[in-house]
Amino acid sequence: MKVILGIGGGIAAYKAAELARALVEREMTVQVVMTRAAREFVRPLTFAALTGRKVITGMFDPDGAIEHIRLAQESDVLVVAPATANLLAKFAHGLADDFLSTLYLAFTGPVALAPAMNSNMWLHPATQANLETLRARGHHILDPEDGPLACGMTGPGRLADPLRIATFIQALAERRRDMEGETVLVTAGPTQEPLDPVRFISNRSSGKMGYALAEAAAARGARVILISGPVRLAAPPGVTLVRVRTASQMRAAVMEHFEQAGIIVKAAAVADYHLASVPAMKIKKTAARISLELDPTPDILAEVGRKKGSRLLIGFAAETENLVQEARRKLESKNCDMVVANLVGQEGTGFESDRNEVVLVLKTGEMVPLPAASKREIAGRIFDHALRLRLALAQ
Ligand code: CTP
């Protein structure tokens, strides 16, 4: 696998070294191309040492003029990290005034762009319009993360985690793109049900399983809509994130988007009860016992189950006992095609863990135990079985 790593001129250029290293560790041949501005931040020698190849720095390097065509033809993926606002603008408009922008025009394979910049530059309508153009061209935009920035501001603009970029690039390079053309809707995380303006009821879901599913589907080429309750996770690369807080907001978002999807995965731990009318003022403490009267929230999975048509519907069942029986009951009562059942309340798997151990209960009557593995691996296996199940159900 041959990857071109284009590096733009931003402070995040130093993180591209970690990315180069991660790509090499994944056994990819990495050809680094640096813009003039990138070389102001990091020296080419760093990348030459990491990749074992001479870094291309300019159009007029010896052989530069023909190199960009040859390099474009023999490479599997072009990733640009950090992609500055300037580079995004040049790519969007087809400007070719240096090696990287010229190479971009000559390259016909998959392109992944990992922007990093100041929040105001990222949010500027010009940058957003350029991103829209690049997305429409089918490029993968690996959205920046929120957080403190080198300029002192806090907000969106930090380069996505280099290791996650590397995993995404590996999947692109391997062209394990068996979900291309597919739209997948995933719900993730807990919901929060307010009790008053400052308090809420929620649960221990971390969102990790849902985010792993979104990441796995996107890496395999699917368009992914991720509807997420409040979690501390960055949106996986290339995924459209819709943030919600309550069960009823999650329901509204799912109802708005599910018709576009061929596969719907409901990994969210939706609160089952909420306070139907939330007081406008904070509940004051008194010496007396208080009680809350809670009403059931809408069962989103069951509602999608009634409306799903031929869409593949995957539910989750987190149980503390009678795992398979409960999963089978939910499969039938909510009209799912698959229920991913996991035992919760154990050490090392489940809610807050990075690992999980689940049983897939399928509409065909099959039961597939998946041994303990990382949530990312489990996510991949769930989609392997989902694609197979869909074929089986179509016959
Ligand atoms: N779910 C949902 N809407 C709700 C509650 C649950 O869409 N209001 C979905 C979850 O996303 C999950 C599945 O239903 O995919 C099962 O959730 P779970 O909490 O295990 O089941 P419940 O139906 O709530 O049943 P119980 O709490 O009695 O086990």
Side-chain angles (χ1 to χ4, degrees):
M1 295 297 162
K2 195 159 178 186
V3 176
I4 308 166
L5 169 58
I7 303 175
I11 182 64
Y14 80 92
K15 295 187 187 167
E18 202 185 327
L19 173 58
R21 192 195 166 98
L23 293 171
V24 170
E25 275 172 359
R26 287 166 167 76
E27 293 175 0
M28 285 179 254
T29 304
V30 182
Q31 175 62 61
V32 171
V33 177
M34 295 179 85
T35 64
R36 193 163 55 79
R39 281 176 278 136
E40 299 287 336
F41 289 93
V42 192
R43 292 190 57 197
L45 187 60
T46 306
F47 293 98
L50 288 169
T51 62
R53 297 174 81 86
K54 187 170 171 290
V55 171
I56 299 175
T57 53
M59 208 55 203
F60 302 106
D61 287 352
D63 305 330
I66 45 163
E67 184 98 343
H68 68 273
I69 304 290
R70 188 177 59 73
L71 186 60
Q73 282 167 349
E74 61 182 38
S75 302
D76 298 297
V77 179
L78 168 63
V79 51
V80 181
T84 58
N86 183 51
L87 277 175
L88 296 177
K90 289 212 286 194
F91 295 162
H93 297 280
L95 241 75
D97 64 350
D98 65 0
F99 192 94
L100 185 55
S101 50
T102 310
L103 173 78
Y104 166 79
L105 288 185
F107 186 71
T108 54
V111 175
L113 305 170
M117 65 195 73
N118 157 278
S119 302
N120 290 343
M121 293 173 75
W122 168 252
L123 296 170
H124 195 285
T127 304
Q128 291 299 318
N130 290 334
L131 284 163
E132 224 21 73
T133 304
L134 295 165
R135 274 198 194 98
R137 221 171 268 166
H139 297 342
H140 304 276
I141 309 294
L142 313 186
D143 278 349
E145 296 176 2
D146 263 39
L149 303 172
C151 58
M153 285 179 72
T154 296
R158 286 162 66 97
L159 185 72
D161 175 5
L163 296 182
R164 301 180 78 174
I165 300 177
T167 304
F168 185 81
I169 298 308
Q170 185 177 24
L172 262 187
E174 286 169 354
R175 292 176 197 263
R176 194 180 173 222
R177 311 284 292 165
D178 57 350
M179 293 179 77
E180 203 120 62
E182 192 83 66
T183 297
V184 177
L185 183 144
V186 179
T187 68
T191 64
Q192 287 179 356
E193 308 303 328
L195 299 179
D196 70 14
V198 296
R199 301 184 178 94
F200 58 80
I201 323 178
S202 191
N203 60 64
R204 289 173 53 197
S205 166
S206 64
K208 285 179 183 167
M209 192 63 233
Y211 277 58
L213 283 156
E215 183 172 293
R220 285 162 75 162
R223 183 168 88 86
V224 180
I225 305 166
L226 173 61
I227 300 176
S228 173
V231 293
R232 296 169 170 276
L233 298 171
V239 161
T240 303
L241 178 66
V242 180
R243 288 180 207 273
V244 297
R245 183 164 296 276
T246 64
S248 79
Q249 287 168 1
M250 186 170 277
R251 179 194 166 271
V254 170
M255 291 309 144
E256 187 184 332
H257 293 100
F258 89 91
E259 284 178 353
Q260 305 168 35
I263 302 179
I264 301 156
V265 193
K266 290 239 53 223
V270 185
D272 286 331
Y273 291 94
H274 71 153
L275 198 61
S277 72
V278 180
M281 298 300 163
K282 191 178 159 198
I283 302 169
K284 299 303 286 182
K285 181 172 70 181
T286 65
R289 166 180 288 173
I290 65 164
S291 58
L292 291 166
E293 204 146 301
L294 301 174
D295 286 300
T297 55
D299 191 322
I300 308 168
L301 185 60
E303 185 173 350
V304 177
R306 288 192 294 274
K307 299 178 178 168
K308 78 183 192 72
S310 59
R311 294 174 188 83
L312 198 78
L313 182 59
I314 305 176
F316 270 66
E319 308 294 342
T320 47
E321 57 186 353
N322 303 330
L323 185 65
V324 174
Q325 296 90 308
E326 278 304 294
R328 217 170 270 296
R329 181 178 68 75
K330 286 176 190 175
L331 181 100
E332 270 153 36
S333 68
K334 303 193 190 202
N335 195 26
C336 294
D337 300 292
M338 180 196 295
V339 166
V340 181
N342 68 325
L343 269 183
V344 287
Q346 302 169 298
E347 280 291 306
T349 57
F351 275 161
E352 281 141 3
S353 169
D354 289 325
R355 295 175 71 75
N356 211 351
E357 184 177 346
V358 302
V359 180
L360 308 183
V361 177
L362 309 184
K363 194 179 181 173
T364 50
E366 278 171 276
M367 225 189 65
V368 187
L370 299 183
S374 72
K375 286 187 174 173
R376 183 64 173 73
E377 253 169 79
I378 297 273
R381 303 284 299 275
I382 290 173
F383 284 120
D384 292 345
H385 284 282
L387 298 182
R388 254 197 280 143
L389 174 64
R390 187 166 54 186
L391 280 179
L393 294 175
Q395 278 162 8

